[in-house]
Amino acid sequence: MIHISLEGIVKTKEDENALIDQIEKVCHEYKVLFEIDHGIGSIYVCPCGVIEVNISNYYAILKTNTALVGPGYHAFVCELFDKIQKGSHIYLSLDDECDYLEDHDLNRIKDLAFYPYMHRLMDSFSKMKEEDEATYAWDDKSYLPVAKPKSVITPFGYIYANECQSVSLQEACSRFYIWNEVEKDALFYRNSALVSLWCDCLFENSLYDEAALNLAKSICIALEKAHELDKELPLPIDEYQMLCRLLNRENQIFDVDQYPKGDVGYRKNEVFYVYGNWFIYFQGNAIQSFDGHTMILKIVNEEETLLNMKITGYKSNEKMDFAYRYLNTVDSMDSLDFEDGAMRVKSVLHELHDGTNTLYLQAQCIKENEMLMINAECSDMSFYQQAIHTLENMQMIRQERSEVDVKV
């Protein structure tokens, strides 16, 4: 990992407020978003490029890992931290293992840190066996894409080990890093859009809320900027045109090659949503939220909720068993009862007699001393089958997932 930090002692509340004001001022000048609440915050620079901010207990620290984003991001953060440091009323120490500010030489820090990092990474990829899986470079805590044999999950999509044997180090960097140069060039804008498409875009559900809508718009704007800077650069044009149709946006990109070939977007397919020690296998473009300690996953269209699943977890000091009173087996339409290794699952299905023909699923999943209680409302039998598919593919993180650690 390649880290940069800015930190110092904050003696008074006045010093804390002054530092926050200084950070806000610099972030406004550099046109990046800064959010903070009760001393904990983030500076959002670009996809995957987030600076953590913690100002509490008389101490302030701003830090980020630049290894996953690229040398251009590293240079940008150094300049941002330098500006904050010079305008601060308190002493702040800037720690950069690359010492970029000594000479502002991007090629030097590429040779010093980023090319060796990529070389070790490519070497790790090439040594993977056919059956190996990995989750390299995946910091999203809300979900995990489904792993594939001899592939690595990255913000740019699946990277297959054999791909690393046929490209140069420089080409690998241009494909893996979002930000390779000091300026924001066409590759930066294309790579930013690609990361958002792969990791966050809800595609057909992009009109569900303001956040999803704004993300779809930002992807289109980034791709249009990339095309403006380089008319020959291949782009994910199929995804761009789909979003333009969805947003009623005028298509501004013509006559470019599709890049990359094939489908783009983890959330077009099923993914694993992370809930405590559990992996919840569910449709990737679902709407996820939390109500207290209950996870809510929804499949929606423009008019109604098609599947609404509420999941609540419990943990005991002893091995757990089914709460049979929770499962109403009287007049049930269908039931499920199976064991998969140490996993035990029971469920029942009812029809809600409320005039909507909604199907109501109750289920319990137990493994050792942990249990999930699940309630799901399904609009028809097809979405009931999706809920059953989720139950059949439930996993636990600690025991059932074997990963190859290629973090170097």
Side-chain angles (χ1 to χ4, degrees):
M1 298 299 174
I2 307 169
H3 296 284
I4 313 174
S5 65
L6 183 67
E7 52 193 303
I9 297 172
V10 182
K11 295 181 179 179
T12 66
K13 187 66 176 178
E14 288 74 17
D15 286 343
E16 178 182 319
N17 292 334
L19 177 58
I20 291 173
D21 289 344
Q22 171 65 5
I23 297 172
E24 286 180 339
K25 176 183 176 183
V26 174
C27 287
H28 180 74
E29 179 182 340
Y30 279 70
K31 299 180 180 179
V32 293
L33 177 64
F34 171 49
E35 294 180 344
I36 191 165
D37 183 27
H38 294 89
I40 307 298
S42 300
I43 300 172
Y44 300 94
V45 178
C46 64
C48 296
V50 181
I51 301 168
E52 299 175 26
V53 180
N54 189 330
I55 305 174
S56 59
N57 298 320
Y58 304 102
Y59 201 76
I61 181 167
L62 291 73
K63 62 180 181 179
T64 189
N65 169 29
T66 63
L68 306 181
V69 191
Y73 174 64
H74 190 99
F76 180 90
V77 173
C78 285
E79 299 286 1
L80 183 81
F81 281 2
D82 184 51
K83 191 81 170 183
I84 294 171
Q85 182 188 46
K86 288 178 177 177
S88 173
H89 295 295
I90 66 171
Y91 174 76
L92 296 172
S93 173
L94 199 163
D95 182 18
D96 169 25
E97 59 190 84
C98 296
D99 293 322
Y100 172 75
L101 293 174
E102 285 192 359
D103 54 15
H104 296 81
D105 188 342
L106 194 72
N107 289 326
R108 180 183 62 79
I109 70 168
K110 286 181 181 179
D111 293 336
L112 175 69
F114 289 90
Y115 285 168
Y117 186 87
M118 181 56 64
H119 178 75
R120 293 194 298 271
L121 178 60
M122 292 172 67
D123 186 58
S124 297
F125 289 176
S126 66
K127 292 177 181 177
M128 291 179 68
K129 299 176 182 178
E130 289 292 340
E131 67 274 12
D132 287 343
E133 299 173 353
T135 55
Y136 174 78
W138 193 256
D139 292 333
D140 193 319
K141 302 298 190 296
S142 62
Y143 82 94
L144 184 69
V146 177
K148 296 182 178 181
K150 209 173 184 183
S151 69
V152 180
I153 298 169
T154 79
F156 282 99
Y158 295 103
I159 294 181
Y160 294 90
N162 57 4
E163 294 177 353
C164 300
Q165 300 169 3
S166 58
V167 299
S168 67
L169 190 62
Q170 287 76 13
E171 184 180 353
C173 288
S174 69
R175 290 171 57 181
F176 182 82
Y177 292 134
I178 295 175
W179 199 342
N180 282 278
E181 305 300 331
V182 172
E183 69 278 2
K184 293 181 178 179
D185 57 9
L187 273 177
F188 166 83
Y189 288 105
R190 184 184 75 176
N191 291 348
S192 294
L194 277 171
V195 168
S196 295
L197 282 166
W198 269 107
C199 300
D200 301 314
C201 187
L202 296 181
F203 299 97
E204 292 81 4
N205 282 348
S206 292
L207 302 181
Y208 176 77
D209 61 19
E210 187 176 357
L213 178 64
N214 289 338
L215 177 70
K217 289 178 180 178
S218 70
I219 291 169
C220 292
I221 291 170
L223 292 174
E224 288 160 4
K225 185 66 175 178
H227 185 62
E228 178 185 328
L229 293 171
D230 185 349
K231 302 293 186 185
E232 305 300 320
L233 184 68
L235 299 172
I237 193 66
D238 292 345
E239 287 72 22
Y240 169 76
Q241 291 175 347
M242 183 274 291
L243 290 177
C244 283
R245 288 193 297 271
L246 196 67
L247 300 170
N248 290 320
R249 184 185 182 90
E250 183 182 355
N251 186 350
Q252 299 182 35
I253 303 176
F254 304 94
D255 301 324
V256 299
D257 293 334
Q258 169 72 17
Y259 177 87
K261 303 296 183 184
D263 238 4
V264 176
Y266 291 122
R267 303 190 72 168
K268 287 181 178 178
N269 304 300
E270 284 81 6
V271 300
F272 286 110
Y273 292 91
V274 182
Y275 178 63
N277 290 319
W278 296 84
F279 276 157
I280 315 297
Y281 187 75
F282 204 73
Q283 192 165 309
N285 64 352
I287 309 302
Q288 179 189 25
S289 61
F290 284 90
D291 179 10
H293 65 296
T294 297
M295 173 188 278
I296 301 170
L297 295 170
K298 293 182 180 181
I299 298 176
V300 302
N301 63 14
E302 295 180 8
E303 299 177 353
E304 62 178 332
T305 298
L306 304 175
L307 175 57
N308 183 20
M309 182 175 289
K310 296 182 179 181
I311 305 167
T312 305
Y314 298 91
K315 193 171 183 178
S316 171
N317 292 326
E318 301 177 355
K319 188 174 180 179
M320 301 191 76
D321 206 349
F322 292 106
Y324 287 98
R325 292 184 180 180
Y326 172 76
L327 297 172
N328 179 16
T329 58
V330 178
D331 297 327
S332 63
M333 298 172 59
D334 193 15
S335 63
L336 179 72
D337 186 346
F338 74 90
E339 292 190 17
D340 182 8
M343 182 86 69
R344 297 175 292 158
V345 177
K346 287 183 182 293
S347 74
V348 293
L349 178 68
H350 295 271
E351 183 174 358
L352 293 181
H353 299 289
D354 58 358
T356 64
N357 297 319
T358 299
L359 303 176
Y360 182 60
L361 170 76
Q362 292 175 292
Q364 297 178 60
C365 298
I366 296 177
K367 187 160 185 181
E368 300 298 336
N369 65 334
E370 298 193 32
M371 176 191 290
L372 293 181
M373 309 283 271
I374 299 170
N375 295 280
E377 295 181 4
C378 319
S379 62
D380 57 38
M381 286 299 293
S382 67
F383 289 99
Y384 166 63
Q385 292 300 326
Q386 286 199 35
I388 293 297
H389 197 47
T390 292
L391 297 179
E392 292 174 337
N393 287 276
M394 202 76 72
Q395 296 183 19
M396 286 195 75
I397 295 172
R398 294 171 302 181
Q399 290 95 340
E400 295 199 6
R401 183 163 182 82
S402 174
E403 296 176 352
V404 175
D405 185 3
V406 295
K407 295 182 179 180
V408 291

